[in-house]
Amino acid sequence: MKFSLLTILIVTAQILYGQSPLLIPSTISGSTIELNLQNGTYEFYNGKVTTTMGANGDILGPTLLLNQGDFVNFTINNQLSETTTIHWHGLHVSAENDGGPHTTIAAGAAWNPSFTILDKAATYWYHPHLHEKTNEHVSKGIAGLIIITDDEEAALALPRTYGVDDFPMVMQTKDFDANYQIVAPSNADDVAMVNATIDPYLDAPAQVIRIRLLNGSSQRVFNVGLSNDQAFYQIASDGGLLATPNQTTRLLLSPGERAEILVNFTGEEGSTVYLKSYASELPNGIYGATNPGNNASMTLDGYNPNPLNGADFNLLQFNVVAQTASPITSIPTTLAVVTPIEESTSNKTRTLTFSPATMGMDQLNGDFLINDVSFDMDVINISVPFENVEIWELTNQSAIAHPFHIHDVQFYVLSRNGNTPPASEQGRKDVVFVKPQETVRFITVFETFTDSPVPYMYHCHLLTHEDRGMMGQFTVNTPLAVADNYLLHTANIYPNPTTGTINLNLEEQIDPNNIKIYDQTGKELKQFGLKFLNGQVQIYGLPKGLFVLKIQTKDVFISKKIIVE
Ligand code: C2O
Ligand code: CU
Ligand code: CU
């Protein structure tokens, strides 16, 4: 082996300047946008080839630059060798355009959603959402940012030149095996990266820069700060600008959450500052803390040893360089008009309780439930009356924190354990982090889109939890069509598949007029018989095929696919 001076210089340079320049994803804008989902290879490590998935490239996806009011026609070409979906996380779109687990794109097929951008200026993102595969498809690389602007944002003196003073930062951790291949799912995510760049550096001008942070990790929570402990200014939460900048030295971001921050590097030319995650400050009970559960003896398979857990680590190195031509050098004092929905206007409160499927010390290795049930593609858990203003009260009765996400809407956090939410959460949100034993309440309105055959999702954004059933689905329905207090009903429906007769065990009496069977095209079938016996319903005389059984009463809403063989 030959150790040249050059090697020593390179090694020294890597130590001094970080390993690689930060990758800045390309951008796409306009009214026609094409995304090609593809298999690829990428060198996370110099000279080591990792198999990846990406959109319009080998890793991640282009940043979409859109304006409120734009009408956009998308073509999503699935050039992967497997089925996936693409979901617009945070965008207020119809359920058919939302790209959830029902809207699959087969290998070789294309999907053409089109919609008007209704959202406020903020940073959103897109990612696959195939049930049980979300973690794998996101971890292998498909994730991209969506930057939306509106008139209110455009009128502010903010940095907005992409890649110059306005930087996208997709923060992730991954687990690589001995052959440098991505392992997902995994609790051994010990490699931190920003924009798929391990140990990145960024030449940042000595002025106010804007950073669009996304926690795109499968599970890890980041507690973001700067190594010199200088204050930075959060200007946006998930779905909109804040009313005024939130000056802070730490910002907690759980998976799925975004924040836009301003860092003022004016006068710091020549200095080196690190963007870090101060995970040593995370309390136990958070993925990323020393103990993932709130009890120190609760373990999570593969979680330890991991140098990132409970330790402070670098995400990125800033080399502060000369100013650009017309720099922004001060932080605005006011931002946007933020009008939270009045609590008094709510006409429904729903409670959602998170619990482990198996109790005890090993509960972190099991599944997690919402209101005692696991996800079922065929069950609509909640039917929301159109234009309802609702309070959702989330209570975490498990030992680990869960970032709760809901599709279709942005919400306002009303309280955490009865207290006013912190400044970082006083804006529009679509993910809220709920720590063990906490109760978080938010308020939202279900407007614009109604009566779609496709449901929207709500779920934990820890992708392992989501894939393993910590998810539910809701539809928004015009008020006259449904009563407003449908509850989830876990019915025992068997056998399925059947040869023509199915049994339903329900907890209450059902009027036969509330039991309907539809064929695959949505046509109601009349030709079946019903028998009631001791609270059990028998449906017989079903012809061969695939059917949807629906039971709707004031308290029950069941939609279940039945196969008759
Ligand atoms: Cu970020 Cu249901 O997704
Ligand atoms: Cu989403
Ligand atoms: Cu969870």
Side-chain angles (χ1 to χ4, degrees):
M1 192 193 282
K2 208 170 63 180
F3 256 100
S4 66
L5 180 62
L6 186 63
T7 313
I8 293 161
L9 281 175
I10 289 168
V11 169
T12 313
Q14 284 180 345
I15 291 164
L16 285 179
Y17 300 116
Q19 194 175 24
S20 318
L22 179 72
L23 173 91
I24 302 291
S26 63
T27 61
I28 305 191
S29 52
S31 55
T32 315
I33 289 180
E34 188 163 325
L35 294 177
N36 298 318
L37 311 179
Q38 52 199 88
N39 293 113
T41 57
Y42 185 71
E43 288 190 19
F44 288 95
Y45 294 91
N46 289 333
K48 308 292 181 193
V49 177
T50 303
T51 299
T52 55
M53 290 179 176
N56 299 4
D58 289 316
I59 192 73
L60 298 173
T63 299
L64 314 185
L65 303 178
L66 303 169
N67 305 299
Q68 188 181 50
D70 286 355
F71 182 79
V72 189
N73 269 296
F74 291 89
T75 301
I76 316 296
N77 294 309
N78 182 2
Q79 297 167 355
L80 301 169
S81 45
E82 57 191 284
T83 301
T84 193
T85 85
I86 285 292
H87 164 61
W88 319 104
H89 179 129
L91 297 194
H92 180 47
V93 298
S94 73
E96 294 93 326
N97 283 322
D98 188 52
H102 294 271
T103 311
T104 53
I105 319 169
W111 178 50
N112 294 97
S114 58
F115 48 84
T116 301
I117 303 299
L118 300 173
D119 303 274
K120 288 188 182 282
T123 306
Y124 304 84
W125 65 304
Y126 59 92
H127 63 78
H129 213 305
L130 185 68
H131 185 43
E132 297 179 331
K133 289 283 186 185
T134 298
N135 191 5
E136 184 183 328
H137 293 174
V138 174
S139 294
K140 289 203 168 153
I142 304 178
L145 292 181
I146 305 170
I147 295 177
I148 294 181
T149 55
D150 60 15
D151 294 346
E152 198 177 34
E153 190 273 347
L156 295 167
L158 290 172
R160 57 171 66 81
T161 310
Y162 186 82
V164 175
D165 61 5
D166 182 352
F167 301 100
M169 290 197 189
V170 180
M171 305 181 290
Q172 292 177 311
T173 53
K174 296 187 198 293
D175 176 21
F176 292 89
D177 69 14
N179 298 315
Y180 299 93
Q181 301 308 307
I182 294 162
V183 186
S186 168
N187 297 326
D189 53 328
D190 57 357
V191 180
M193 59 186 71
V194 180
N195 298 347
T197 316
I198 299 171
D199 197 9
Y201 70 84
L202 175 67
D203 290 341
Q207 62 201 55
V208 176
I209 62 162
R210 180 182 195 166
I211 302 174
R212 297 168 187 271
L213 296 168
L214 160 68
N215 183 340
S217 279
S218 297
Q219 304 193 80
R220 184 167 300 276
V221 174
F222 297 109
N223 183 29
V224 172
L226 295 166
S227 56
N228 57 357
D229 265 334
Q230 85 178 70
F232 56 90
Y233 303 83
Q234 181 197 1
I235 56 165
S237 53
D238 298 329
L241 292 165
L242 301 178
T244 53
N246 166 33
Q247 179 181 336
T248 186
T249 55
R250 295 288 186 271
L251 189 62
L252 192 85
L253 281 181
S254 65
E257 284 187 294
R258 291 88 62 209
E260 293 178 22
I261 62 170
L262 300 179
V263 179
N264 194 349
F265 281 135
T266 306
E268 295 184 46
E269 187 177 342
S271 64
T272 298
V273 181
Y274 292 89
L275 182 76
K276 297 179 69 107
S277 178
Y278 290 89
S280 68
E281 298 166 10
L282 293 177
N284 290 335
I286 292 178
Y287 193 106
T290 307
N291 296 305
N294 62 358
N295 181 312
S297 43
M298 282 177 164
T299 56
L300 185 53
D301 292 345
Y303 189 77
N304 276 315
N306 182 327
L308 303 185
N309 294 337
D312 301 340
F313 56 89
N314 290 342
L315 286 160
L316 175 135
Q317 175 179 326
F318 291 105
N319 299 321
V320 185
V321 299
Q323 281 188 345
T324 62
S326 13
I328 305 255
T329 52
S330 63
I331 306 292
T333 49
T334 59
L335 297 165
V337 178
V338 178
T339 354
I341 303 167
E342 288 285 345
E343 191 165 343
S344 60
T345 62
S346 147
N347 38 35
K348 176 82 189 170
T349 297
R350 295 180 200 275
T351 52
L352 283 82
T353 303
F354 312 153
S355 61
T358 41
M359 291 297 174
M361 286 310 196
D362 198 36
Q363 62 169 263
L364 302 186
N365 290 308
D367 299 347
F368 292 92
L369 309 174
I370 301 176
N371 286 353
D372 294 324
V373 294
S374 193
F375 181 65
D376 182 339
M377 284 285 274
D378 300 332
V379 172
I380 307 297
N381 304 91
I382 293 172
S383 169
V384 175
F386 181 50
E387 293 182 332
N388 232 29
V389 177
E390 302 201 349
I391 294 172
W392 285 31
E393 190 172 294
L394 315 170
T395 298
N396 185 355
Q397 293 179 352
S398 75
I400 187 169
H402 305 277
F404 181 86
H405 170 53
I406 180 169
H407 292 206
D408 181 32
V409 298
Q410 291 288 324
F411 55 76
Y412 295 92
V413 180
L414 291 170
S415 62
R416 282 189 172 272
N417 283 339
N419 301 318
T420 309
S424 59
E425 294 182 328
Q426 293 191 15
R428 289 155 58 89
K429 296 278 298 160
D430 56 58
V431 178
V432 68
F433 196 47
V434 189
K435 296 188 199 73
Q437 309 316 316
E438 246 185 339
T439 293
V440 174
R441 296 166 71 246
F442 69 70
I443 190 165
T444 190
V445 55
F446 296 84
E447 55 193 0
T448 325
F449 305 108
T450 184
D451 296 317
S452 165
V454 182
Y456 289 111
M457 303 292 132
Y458 56 85
H459 57 90
C460 175
H461 222 289
L462 298 191
L463 302 183
T464 45
H465 293 186
E466 173 189 345
D467 277 342
R468 290 176 56 175
M470 194 176 176
M471 177 154 71
Q473 40 195 2
F474 69 97
T475 52
V476 180
N477 303 98
T478 44
L480 292 178
V482 292
D484 77 345
N485 57 346
Y486 287 6
L487 301 176
L488 172 75
H489 191 284
T490 38
N492 194 3
I493 303 176
Y494 65 94
N496 186 19
T498 169
T499 51
T501 298
I502 50 169
N503 302 290
L504 311 174
N505 276 334
L506 300 169
E507 282 155 22
E508 56 241 83
Q509 293 294 327
I510 297 289
D511 176 343
N513 292 316
N514 293 321
I515 302 177
K516 299 228 163 79
I517 296 187
Y518 303 85
D519 70 10
Q520 278 190 80
T521 68
K523 201 173 98 224
E524 192 181 322
L525 291 182
K526 301 283 180 210
Q527 61 279 41
F528 56 86
L530 282 176
K531 266 184 218 154
F532 290 84
L533 253 184
N534 308 328
Q536 178 172 307
V537 183
Q538 197 174 60
I539 300 174
Y540 59 91
L542 290 167
K544 287 197 164 96
L546 176 73
F547 302 98
V548 180
L549 168 74
K550 287 193 179 177
I551 302 173
Q552 299 191 356
T553 72
K554 195 165 83 40
D555 297 320
V556 177
F557 184 88
I558 294 170
S559 172
K560 182 93 192 151
K561 277 187 205 145
I562 306 286
I563 298 162
V564 183
E565 297 173 335

